[in-house]
Amino acid sequence: MKLRGSIVAKLVLGYGLLGIASIVAVSVVFYSGTIGVIDQNIDGKITEQTEHLLDNVADGGQVALKAEVKRLLSDGIDNDREIFQIVDSDGEPIAGNLSSWPSLDEAPDMVTSDVLRNGRIAPARLYLRPLVLGGVLIVGRDLSEEEAVREVIWRALLAGACVSLMLTIAGAMLFRRSIEARLGEIRRTAAQIEAGDLSPRIPVTGNDEFALLNRDINRMLDRIELLMDGVRNVSNAIAHDLRTPLSRIRGRLDDALRHEASVPRLSTAAHDAIDDIDDLIRLFERLLQIAEAEAGVRARLFERLDLGRVVADIGEMYEAIAEDSEIKLTVDAPASLNVEGDRNLLASAIASLIDNAIKYAGPGSTIHVRAGLYHGEAAISVHDNGPGIPDDERGKVTQRFYRVDQSRHLPGNGLGLSIVSATAKSHDGKLVLEDGAPGLIARIVLPLAPAS
């Protein structure tokens, strides 16, 4: 994978920079909390010691101050670190333990400088305090131990930063490898599918974001494979279903041309050809209706409607047809069963179910159409007591052009239940086929409309 333009490389770089920034921030906080506090304590002690010394000799003048400095330097208490020095107005030493000191022009101030004390140069923190009678009092502290502590802390911080940086880099590389491995699975599957094999699926491990994404992609691939299989099956079915009527049309027209041309013969051939062409047009219209329902083209036309009223209207329309076919049709459609949908699509689906029941149940049968609740959802059921559909055939009859063997002698093209199923799915519902014992129960289940 090329690093330039790689989202993985960018994530790793961002992760690394964030880790380095965190290390720097922690180091600054730790240093401020140790060395910074030590420096503040030293400055406070020096200032306090200076004020205390001047208070003790407030009335004794320079002689008393000199005596007090000598006393402090000889009392044996922390003498190896304490610094006291009295310098007159001419810069000459009066008393103290310094052989050199910083420029007195900086007084009064707290300064850090190298001094010569006891024959060696050492870093020191000094407070240069001007005296009322002239000269300067220098009070300070040898920082050799603090410098040693500071060096230890710096080394510890540097070692910790190096270790943290290496861990950050190792973590970033591990993160990159993990991301690339997960993305590699997706890319390999995509390459196989691009090559024409729709069966591979992305491995799903764990329950993280990648696993959720892989599940979504696999569901999408399942749907694409199903649609592609459907397209292949439809193409084959169309080729077979169109060949017969087209051959019939051609045969009739050819027969009319082979015999002596007469107006009645040509008129009959033309009318028969027109009827066959109309059947083909209706076939394509039903295929387009399925495609529109599956694509959700008419979803923008959805409105709140009373499903019970739609069922009642369709049932009333089919009462005369059922009576002519010697079939008893009953309709139970209570009002106020509200759904969101396309009235024309749902009416067409209900009509297809009733029409199928009339066609296949046969004379003397009973068909009961009902609208109501089914497991908390709206449902339309068409129950007949005819021969029904065998168990092993129910999962296939919603496929386009599929027809049960016992119904092949009846007119039709095997698209009715496909249209009903596609319509139900476009309304976020489903078509359920159940054994009516006897007969068949065809049920459209739809979600209820939200309460207004």
Side-chain angles (χ1 to χ4, degrees):
M1 179 181 292
K2 295 182 179 179
L3 294 180
R4 180 174 294 182
S6 169
I7 186 63
V8 175
K10 292 177 181 178
L11 288 173
V12 169
L13 180 60
Y15 176 73
L17 292 176
L18 179 61
I20 293 172
S22 301
I23 293 170
V24 172
V26 170
S27 298
V28 169
V29 172
F30 179 76
Y31 183 82
S32 300
T34 54
I35 299 301
V37 172
I38 293 174
D39 290 342
Q40 291 178 2
N41 290 337
I42 290 175
D43 288 352
K45 289 180 179 180
I46 291 174
T47 303
E48 182 182 357
Q49 197 171 30
T50 302
E51 298 302 329
H52 182 69
L53 174 59
L54 294 177
D55 288 343
N56 288 342
V57 297
D59 299 329
Q62 195 176 81
V63 176
L65 180 59
K66 179 179 178 180
E68 182 64 17
V69 167
K70 290 181 177 181
R71 186 190 68 79
L72 291 173
L73 292 176
S74 60
D75 62 4
I77 301 176
D78 206 15
N79 289 339
D80 59 332
R81 303 188 63 190
E82 290 183 341
I83 295 175
F84 295 98
Q85 183 68 44
I86 304 174
V87 182
D88 63 16
S89 56
D90 295 329
E92 296 297 326
I94 298 176
N97 58 351
L98 290 181
S99 301
S100 68
W101 48 85
S103 174
L104 301 180
D105 295 337
E106 301 181 22
D109 202 355
M110 191 75 70
V111 298
T112 300
S113 176
D114 289 337
V115 297
L116 182 61
R117 187 172 74 93
N118 298 330
R120 68 180 183 87
I121 297 177
R125 185 68 170 167
L126 305 174
Y127 182 33
L128 310 181
R129 176 67 179 269
L131 299 174
V132 178
L133 300 178
V136 176
L137 171 64
I138 302 175
V139 178
R141 192 173 185 87
D142 190 319
L143 297 181
S144 297
E145 293 184 5
E146 283 76 5
E147 287 297 320
V149 172
R150 191 189 305 268
E151 185 176 354
V152 170
I153 291 176
W154 270 114
R155 288 179 179 175
L157 288 176
L158 183 60
C162 291
V163 173
S164 299
L165 183 59
M166 287 188 292
L167 291 176
T168 300
I169 294 174
M173 297 305 296
L174 181 62
F175 173 72
R176 178 189 174 189
R177 181 174 298 181
S178 175
I179 294 295
E180 286 183 343
R182 303 298 291 273
L183 293 178
E185 294 174 345
I186 299 176
R187 294 185 65 193
R188 284 190 294 273
T189 303
Q192 291 175 297
I193 292 173
E194 184 182 3
D197 185 4
L198 296 179
S199 61
R201 293 295 181 267
I202 304 170
V204 178
T205 56
N207 196 32
D208 57 11
E209 288 77 5
F210 274 102
L212 297 177
L213 174 62
N214 292 348
R215 289 193 186 98
D216 293 339
I217 294 176
N218 286 342
R219 282 196 296 268
M220 178 188 68
L221 293 175
D222 290 339
R223 179 62 175 166
I224 291 174
E225 186 177 20
L226 179 63
L227 292 176
M228 292 299 294
D229 289 341
V231 169
R232 283 193 290 266
N233 294 334
V234 167
S235 300
N236 294 333
I238 289 177
H240 286 87
D241 278 54
L242 291 185
R243 183 169 54 187
T244 300
L246 288 175
S247 299
R248 187 167 56 247
I249 293 171
R250 187 187 184 284
R252 287 173 178 174
L253 294 177
D254 184 65
D255 183 66
L257 292 176
R258 287 178 180 274
H259 295 81
E260 181 181 355
S262 64
V263 173
R265 181 182 296 277
L266 293 176
S267 177
T268 301
H271 280 94
D272 291 342
I274 289 173
D275 289 340
D276 288 336
I277 291 173
D278 287 341
D279 289 340
L280 292 177
I281 291 174
R282 282 191 289 271
L283 171 64
F284 283 112
E285 287 178 346
R286 293 173 78 82
L287 287 173
L288 288 174
Q289 187 177 356
I290 294 174
E292 286 184 354
E294 289 180 341
V297 173
R298 302 183 57 143
R300 61 181 181 274
L301 302 178
F302 283 8
E303 60 181 350
R304 187 183 183 89
L305 54 89
D306 187 346
L307 194 60
R309 176 60 62 87
V310 177
V311 172
D313 292 342
I314 300 300
E316 183 180 351
M317 183 179 69
Y318 271 90
E319 284 180 353
I321 299 174
E323 185 176 350
D324 291 340
S325 301
E326 301 179 1
I327 292 175
K328 181 180 178 181
L329 176 65
T330 62
V331 179
D332 180 13
S336 301
L337 186 63
N338 296 319
V339 298
E340 295 281 346
D342 185 307
R343 181 182 298 272
N344 294 329
L345 281 180
L346 290 176
S348 176
I350 298 167
S352 292
L353 292 181
I354 298 176
D355 186 66
N356 276 355
I358 292 174
K359 183 187 299 183
Y360 299 114
S365 60
T366 300
I367 299 174
H368 183 60
V369 182
R370 181 180 180 276
L373 294 177
Y374 179 77
H375 298 309
E377 295 185 292
I380 312 135
S381 63
V382 178
H383 183 189
D384 65 74
N385 60 352
I389 299 176
D391 293 345
D392 58 346
E393 300 278 358
R394 286 186 203 137
K396 303 176 183 179
V397 293
T398 56
Q399 300 175 9
R400 301 175 196 179
F401 298 106
Y402 186 88
R403 305 187 70 188
V404 179
D405 290 339
Q406 62 189 16
S407 67
R408 291 190 179 275
H409 65 283
L410 296 174
N413 46 38
L415 292 176
L417 291 179
S418 298
I419 294 175
V420 175
S421 178
T423 300
K425 289 179 179 177
S426 69
H427 287 75
D428 295 328
K430 59 184 176 181
L431 171 64
V432 181
L433 302 177
E434 302 173 351
D435 184 7
L440 177 72
I441 300 176
R443 180 178 287 112
I444 300 174
V445 182
L446 304 173
L448 288 168
S452 57

